[in-house]
Amino acid sequence: MKKILWFFVALLGAACFCYLALQNGEKVSAIYLVVSAVCIYMIGYRLYGRFIAFKVFGLDKDRATPARVENDGQNFVPTNKIVLFSHQFAAIAGAGPLVGPVLAAQMGYLPSMIWILVGGVLAGSVHDFLVLFISMRRKGRSLGEMIKDEMGSFTGGVAMLAIFGIMIIIIAILAMVVVKSLANSPWGLFTIAMTIPIAIFMGIYMRFIRPGRVGEASVIGFVLLLLSIHYGHYVSIDPTLAKFFTFDQPTLAFMIMGYGLISSLLPVWFFLAPRDYLATFLKMGVIVVMALAILFVAPDFLMPKINHQYLDGTGPVFAGSIFPFLFITIACGAISGFHALISSGTSPKMLDNEEHALFVGYGAMLAESGVAIMALICACILHPGIYFAVNSSSALIGTDLAQVAKTISEWGFTVTPQEIAQLTKDIGEHSILSRTGGAPTFALGVTLILHQIFGGVEFMGFWYHFAILFEALFILTAVDAGTRTSKFMIQDILGNIYKPLGNIHNIWAGLLATIISVSCWGYFLYQGAIDPNGGIYTLWPLFGVSNQMLAGMALLLISAILAKMSKKRYLWVTLAPATFVLIATLYGGIQKVLPYEEGAKVHNAVSHIATAQMNKKSIEKLEEEIAAIKSQKENLSKEEQIKFEKQIKDKEKQISNLSHSLFGNVLDAILCIFFMLTTLLVIVSCIGICIGKIKIPLKESPYIKLNSLNAEKA
């Protein structure tokens, strides 16, 4: 009966998938994508995930985990698998699964759909689960330290520096998205702030008041969370209270730095795990409600199956051809190197039993892939004209509604100024033009679906701002987990210089590493908050490529370990996704460092070096124009001199902006080359180990039977 049931699940998923792929010229309901995704995730977890877990790597429920062996009450804490799943999901599901699919939708829904589903099941989930597994078998060691142990000191040392650099970029980007979402938003900041005492209460409740009563704590926490969302609206409309929760971007940047510093030092059971559990309630709740609402509302895809005109990379939302840049743009929705840092950071130190690794690692990534599918649906049920109005820069479409509508209609997506104005009014915003970054598009999709069931048009403003708040909470949970993980990485690096600094049980060593971590990502965050052309904006374009390179390095490490475990017949499990990800990423990385090419519009837009060369030429031209103006000033009237002074100031401001861009692109090119060289070094080491030319013994921790450990403690 089970086999028959799974056969029908497969048949249903295949039928929906094929209909989405093969239909032509007809309206397609988003229901087909929801059903197809659910079926594929079920099959992936039940069959492929379990095959890898028990057939390939052999999870052993009788083997003691690091949380059981160490159990220091600070970082190593045996944790309920539901709570740990929530922590893993909340930590990995940052901005990527919401933003990437929204941007990739400019090429149509089909290419993104295929990669999110196939990549999520065969690459991303495998990556997250197996990094968690190998770290669990090595006392919860970090990714860089494991590369050093298993692939050689030189390779590991270079990789540790590259991984730390990538980690700082990722945390700063996540923090910047939160700052943007909460700046001058008392409703959002109040609700986010309330999750802190609620999470602390849940941690104390589950550990001391009612030990192990996860269900009770969950219900209490969820009710308190809903109340904080509800009363956040009243705080925002009260002039007195709103002042206490209204801050500008620079102030919020410092607040988030302080939050990251304190949260990474607190015991995981006290704050991190329950807060992520609480956040997951909201995240998963919204995604499940969205899926059910789609089944009820049955919205049609308005975005074409494939936007052929943008496959060459000329789209207005992001530059770059479908291969490799669609795969790099989707990022966390299918596979992400950041997940390897969480799976080798906090989570392996909290696993209560080895068998929980499948549910926590593989399952959490499937859940994130589901979030990416929902984000894709939100983008594709919008009128394409609205989608491009929201996601195109003002430099392309302008700021006047009539001009925006005219420009987008010329692209082939007819939209009127009245349609844009009406939607803007319905959601209670002043403008929706050029709200790039993906978050507003996701919020619009949520609003268009949920208002048809709950509240009608009058509630569209509520649902839009609720979705924006939801995204901020979604992303902030990745900042605290990322900071704690980077703390471990810094201690690994410092431990090679002075061994006591590598002791993760030492409070002072942990404090020093945390201060270094927060200072690094906090610098780029603050610079971005005070200057829209500086700080994290300098490194933003490098995020996608560096993140995917990191995922490739993690899969190569697992492949080397698999070979050393004498299981080379299963190398295809990791090498197949690693090969595809690395080909796409290295190809994209090479394009990002090629020189300027006359007439190659897409190439020049993608390449950091080409952009830097164009910036330099523009600066030189502006400097010549300023010199020419100054040479004419002496023989002019006072009025004409004032006019020329204004022209000079405008050109000097342009030079300043171009100088920021020049510096940023040169820095990105240097880092991109460094990350690519590091990846090539890991590739060479992996090949050498797999063919037996490099012989490094397996560094797995000694086997400790769980029963014997329990007997000793008894």
Side-chain angles (χ1 to χ4, degrees), residues 501-515:
L501 293 177
N503 182 5
I504 61 175
H505 301 289
N506 186 293
I507 295 175
W508 298 108
L511 176 61
L512 174 63
T514 304
I515 291 172

Side-chain angles (χ1 to χ4, degrees), residues 88-107:
Q88 174 80 4
F89 172 70
I92 65 174
L98 296 173
V99 175
V102 168
L103 303 182
Q106 79 165 354
M107 293 185 177

Side-chain angles (χ1 to χ4, degrees), residues 81-99:
K81 74 174 183 178
I82 303 294
V83 176
L84 185 54
F85 169 90
S86 303
H87 162 69
Q88 174 80 4
F89 172 70
I92 65 174
L98 296 173
V99 175

Side-chain angles (χ1 to χ4, degrees), residues 448-610:
L448 291 178
I449 292 172
L450 294 185
H451 91 279
Q452 297 186 53
I453 302 176
F454 307 107
V457 175
E458 293 77 11
F459 266 66
M460 287 182 70
F462 171 83
W463 287 121
Y464 178 81
H465 290 92
F466 170 80
I468 293 291
L469 169 65
F470 158 79
E471 292 174 81
L473 180 61
F474 214 113
I475 296 162
L476 187 61
T477 52
V479 174
D480 48 29
T483 302
R484 184 179 286 264
T485 299
S486 68
K487 175 184 75 172
F488 296 141
M489 293 167 56
I490 292 170
Q491 287 195 260
D492 286 340
I493 295 171
L494 295 177
N496 292 305
I497 302 170
Y498 181 60
K499 195 170 183 179
L501 293 177
N503 182 5
I504 61 175
H505 301 289
N506 186 293
I507 295 175
W508 298 108
L511 176 61
L512 174 63
T514 304
I515 291 172
I516 293 173
S517 170
V518 174
S519 299
C520 289
W521 63 256
Y523 168 79
F524 291 107
L525 172 64
Y526 180 72
Q527 291 300 317
I530 62 175
D531 181 3
N533 295 307
I536 189 53
Y537 293 105
T538 301
L539 300 174
W540 196 296
L542 192 60
F543 165 70
V545 168
S546 61
N547 186 42
Q548 302 295 60
M549 283 185 197
L550 183 56
M553 285 191 274
L555 287 169
L556 291 173
L557 168 65
I558 301 163
S559 300
I561 290 173
L562 198 57
K564 290 198 279 187
M565 292 173 70
S566 301
K567 294 187 176 182
K568 291 184 180 180
R569 65 187 182 278
Y570 295 122
L571 275 173
W572 57 269
V573 169
T574 52
L575 284 183
T579 301
F580 180 83
V581 168
L582 288 172
I583 288 174
T585 308
L586 290 173
Y587 179 48
I590 291 169
Q591 290 191 48
K592 283 185 170 290
V593 296
L594 291 175
Y596 177 80
E597 184 179 329
E598 190 67 39
K601 183 179 177 182
V602 175
H603 161 79
N604 294 335
V606 167
S607 171
H608 296 307
I609 289 180

